[in-house]
Amino acid sequence: MLNSYLLEMEDRDLFYNVTQKVNAYKKEHPDESVISLGIGDVSRPVVAPVIEAMHRAVDDLASSATFHGYGAYYGCDFLRQAILDNEYGKYGFTMDEIYVSDGTKSDSTNILELFDINSKILIGNPTYPIYRDGARALSRKTYYGKNDENFKMLIPQEHYDIIYLCSPNNPIGNAYTKEEYEAWIDNALKNNAVLLVDNVYRPFIQSENVPDSIYELPGSKKVAIEFRSFSKQVSFTGVRCSYYVLPDEIAENVNHYWRKRTINRFNGACYVAQRGAEASFAPEAQKLIRENIRYYQENARVLREGFLKAGFSLIGGIDAPYMWVKTKDGMSAWEMFDVFLKEMNIIIIPGVIFGEQGEGHFRISALGNIDLSRQAIERIVKYYEK
Ligand code: PLP
């Protein structure tokens, strides 16, 4: 018998309808230049010191003295040590609490294997859709939360065992402040809940009051598992390498059990990717990576100011590379999508793709090319001047 939860899953990538519509439009209008403000992938290349480290790692594989094969189920020690030295050691973690993997897309749902299959799981709405469909693939049911006026999920009245927090947030583009994190931690401690904190957009944080990590806050080690990825910070969306922290304090012997599970379910992340990830922490690489992030932040500024100039209201774009924009004239998200595509030759992502509470909104991304963003803004401002 098949997994019945698979039947409830979307048939295709959620962006499929967008791609279909865009391709049909391009076919009918081959001479139009269509600009995408929808891209969730990075556009800056991998920086040179990281590329060089990966070249050296490939060479390691060519000699039996330096060859790397099976064995590093939780990640190579050199990378886990670098993660501790640069990011998590300051919160008092040890290497046994750090796991290296092949992407937060899989990590954020695979972690559910740590918990009882009947755990009640709360996710945002709108949300990064993988939390829902990834949970379904593992035969788990999720429930949607409610939001405040800034689309931040409200602390629920009922009990949930597992709560996904995405901060900085995709698709909304905002992030939890210190006080908001404190309230979630307090609630989780009282209700014996676990917070799964997706922190992949951390490098984009600019606001003073937005913590870099939930572990900056007291009590968090008892309730929070935090996920990070090299995807956005090192442009590793195609290379694949991620990491997460499972604090010893979550439950007695938790890392003993999770190591057991990991040995049986995962053969480790790619050695070449891990050498590249390690090299990304070196000062020269960090300097170049910061330049890439600043490029996206500048792109976000251009888009934010442009959309505001054209009379839209929006949130996000300061602490994350996404902005969440309200449609105009009471249009639905898909109606607005059509106006952008057909009238301005611009692709936006309808908010409903991320959950039905995203109706009446759309997402734009600052991960693309800044010159194209400027051209898009010119078109948008001109169109709404009419
Ligand atoms: N988490 C969020 C919130 C994302 O938006 C994305 C990618 O867009 C991911 C995780 C995927 O990360 P990775 O490339 O490490 O699998």
Side-chain angles (χ1 to χ4, degrees):
M1 209 202 298
L2 294 181
N3 173 1
S4 61
Y5 284 82
L6 286 179
L7 307 178
E8 289 174 31
M9 215 191 268
E10 296 294 333
D11 282 345
R12 306 182 180 96
D13 183 309
L14 287 169
F15 294 95
Y16 177 80
N17 287 342
V18 170
T19 314
Q20 288 287 96
K21 280 184 177 243
V22 170
N23 288 346
Y25 181 79
K26 281 183 177 168
K27 208 169 164 191
E28 276 172 40
H29 305 86
D31 299 328
E32 303 282 14
S33 84
V34 177
I35 299 175
S36 177
L37 299 182
I39 303 164
D41 200 350
V42 290
S43 56
R44 306 295 296 159
V46 177
V47 300
V50 171
I51 293 288
E52 285 155 19
M54 287 198 286
H55 278 301
R56 286 193 297 275
V58 170
D59 288 340
D60 286 348
L61 302 178
S63 134
S64 49
T66 48
F67 173 77
H68 273 73
Y70 285 141
Y73 305 106
Y74 330 118
C76 294
D77 286 356
F78 61 78
L79 179 55
R80 292 159 81 212
Q81 189 61 52
I83 291 166
L84 270 188
D85 293 347
N86 290 282
E87 295 188 1
Y88 282 114
K90 62 181 174 228
Y91 305 122
F93 290 111
T94 63
M95 210 148 90
D96 285 346
E97 296 166 288
I98 308 283
Y99 295 80
V100 168
S101 181
D102 61 0
T104 303
K105 182 174 191 171
S106 27
D107 297 341
S108 59
T109 43
N110 284 344
I111 195 73
L112 296 177
E113 293 180 10
L114 180 62
F115 302 100
D116 188 273
I117 198 154
N118 295 314
S119 301
K120 275 187 83 180
I121 304 169
L122 183 71
I123 61 174
N125 181 357
T127 177
Y128 175 54
I130 301 306
Y131 306 145
R132 182 193 58 221
D133 287 331
R136 281 179 185 158
L138 292 171
S139 309
R140 321 270 164 144
K141 191 167 163 54
T142 52
Y143 299 84
Y144 286 125
K146 296 193 174 70
N147 300 320
D148 70 10
E149 66 286 359
N150 286 320
F151 283 88
K152 280 185 178 165
M153 189 162 63
L154 290 166
I155 292 181
Q157 300 302 313
E158 332 67 287
H159 171 78
Y160 290 92
D161 302 291
I162 297 169
I163 299 166
Y164 277 94
L165 298 182
C166 182
S167 183
N169 191 279
N170 176 16
I172 307 299
N174 54 11
Y176 284 120
T177 61
K178 181 171 167 289
E179 292 73 22
E180 288 162 341
Y181 261 153
E182 278 168 351
W184 278 107
I185 293 167
D186 192 46
N187 182 266
L189 285 166
K190 282 191 190 127
N191 292 300
N192 203 17
V194 172
L195 305 174
L196 301 179
V197 183
D198 184 337
N199 193 223
V200 300
Y201 294 103
R202 176 194 66 101
F204 294 88
I205 294 173
Q206 300 188 77
S207 300
E208 288 264 307
N209 201 26
V210 171
D212 225 25
S213 162
I214 195 165
Y215 300 125
E216 287 182 16
L217 303 164
S220 56
K221 283 185 177 180
K222 288 196 171 70
V223 294
I225 300 173
E226 187 169 85
F227 300 85
R228 287 184 181 173
S229 171
F230 293 97
S231 281
K232 309 285 153 118
Q233 59 192 30
V234 190
S235 299
F236 265 21
T237 49
V239 176
R240 313 303 302 146
C241 197
S242 61
Y243 50 116
Y244 56 95
V245 183
L246 176 57
D248 282 338
E249 291 177 43
I250 290 280
E252 208 179 334
N253 287 329
V254 69
N255 277 298
H256 168 73
Y257 296 122
W258 192 243
R259 276 195 293 275
K260 231 173 17 173
R261 169 269 173 205
T262 303
I263 285 174
N264 287 300
R265 295 274 289 112
F266 189 54
N267 257 338
C270 165
Y271 170 70
V272 176
Q274 292 189 72
R275 279 294 184 201
E278 178 198 28
S280 76
F281 289 114
E284 182 54 27
Q286 277 297 312
K287 206 170 133 251
L288 298 168
I289 289 164
R290 288 307 311 165
E291 280 171 21
N292 279 349
I293 300 291
R294 272 197 292 276
Y295 176 96
Y296 298 130
Q297 286 169 337
E298 176 60 9
N299 196 7
R301 189 191 63 76
V302 166
L303 290 168
R304 205 173 53 242
E305 288 178 4
F307 272 83
L308 291 175
K309 192 172 167 205
F312 285 92
S313 70
L314 59 82
I315 44 184
I318 308 281
D319 296 312
Y322 300 115
M323 277 145 280
W324 188 245
V325 191
K326 199 169 180 337
T327 61
K328 279 207 187 201
D329 309 321
M331 278 186 203
S332 74
W334 278 110
E335 283 166 352
M336 192 86 255
F337 171 89
D338 283 337
V339 169
F340 268 80
L341 182 61
K342 293 175 184 161
E343 306 293 335
M344 295 171 260
N345 294 326
I346 291 170
I347 305 168
I348 55 170
I349 304 296
V352 276
I353 282 186
F354 304 98
E356 79 276 5
Q357 286 184 46
E359 183 52 286
H361 291 79
F362 59 95
R363 189 195 77 174
I364 54 169
S365 162
L367 292 171
N369 179 287
I370 197 165
D371 296 325
L372 292 177
S373 296
R374 289 201 176 96
Q375 284 177 37
I377 291 300
E378 263 178 40
R379 291 184 198 173
I380 297 165
V381 169
K382 203 166 148 204
Y383 178 79
Y384 282 103
E385 265 170 9
K386 277 193 259 165

